[in-house]
Amino acid sequence: VDATGGMPICTGDLFLSLDEGRDFPHGGTERCTALLLASGLHLVTRDSGVVRSFAWNPFAALSKVCGPSQDAWEEGGMRIFLLSSSRGDQTRRLFLAAHGEDADATRERWLREIAGALRLYIRSQLPPVDLS
């Protein structure tokens, strides 16, 4: 149980790009245990145990990543997705990837679960409005 986010909604293995500011192939990758919480995403690197946290905000965006610079990674079995957020003049980007036999299904599951958590968070921050 995480004090800031409760019980994990989803857990599993993902790869994290070590260079948040550029396309996925640059900077190498690190295998992580990912914990999706109501408050955001925590990534614990397998080798060093370093924890990286990505807290939700209403401006977070999630997308599949595709294009020429990702083709080599896709051919190598990586299925990439991007979690980004802008706040003021700063943008934080996490390139994440599923890998293995079921990489396509794993990426789709993570996209679905993260999108659901983001929707719940945004709804909790924006009260309902009656326009009648």
Side-chain angles (χ1 to χ4, degrees):
V1 177
D2 176 68
T4 61
M7 293 294 295
I9 298 165
C10 185
T11 63
D13 293 336
L14 291 173
F15 285 83
L16 168 68
S17 171
L18 297 179
D19 187 350
E20 294 179 7
R22 299 182 65 184
D23 289 339
F24 189 80
H26 303 285
T29 61
E30 192 162 10
R31 188 181 187 107
C32 298
T33 297
L35 300 122
L36 176 61
L37 303 163
S39 61
L41 182 68
H42 296 292
L43 300 161
V44 182
T45 57
R46 289 288 184 87
D47 292 339
S48 64
V50 171
V51 178
R52 290 179 174 90
S53 296
F54 188 96
W56 298 150
N57 76 49
F59 307 104
L62 177 67
S63 65
K64 286 184 186 179
V65 177
C66 55
S69 62
Q70 285 76 34
D71 287 348
W73 291 91
E74 293 276 331
E75 289 172 11
M78 294 278 199
R79 298 298 180 258
I80 306 164
F81 60 100
L82 169 66
L83 183 57
S84 63
S85 178
S86 295
R87 190 174 280 179
D89 61 350
Q90 293 185 339
T91 298
R92 184 161 182 212
R93 299 167 14 142
L94 294 180
F95 284 95
L96 301 162
H99 185 264
E101 279 183 27
D102 59 347
D104 287 313
T106 299
R107 174 174 62 181
E108 292 304 317
R109 178 177 62 96
W110 278 101
L111 287 168
R112 187 176 53 253
E113 296 289 350
I114 292 171
L118 275 170
R119 269 192 300 277
L120 288 174
Y121 173 80
I122 291 169
R123 285 183 187 149
S124 75
Q125 299 300 304
L126 304 171
V129 176
D130 183 16
L131 300 176
S132 55

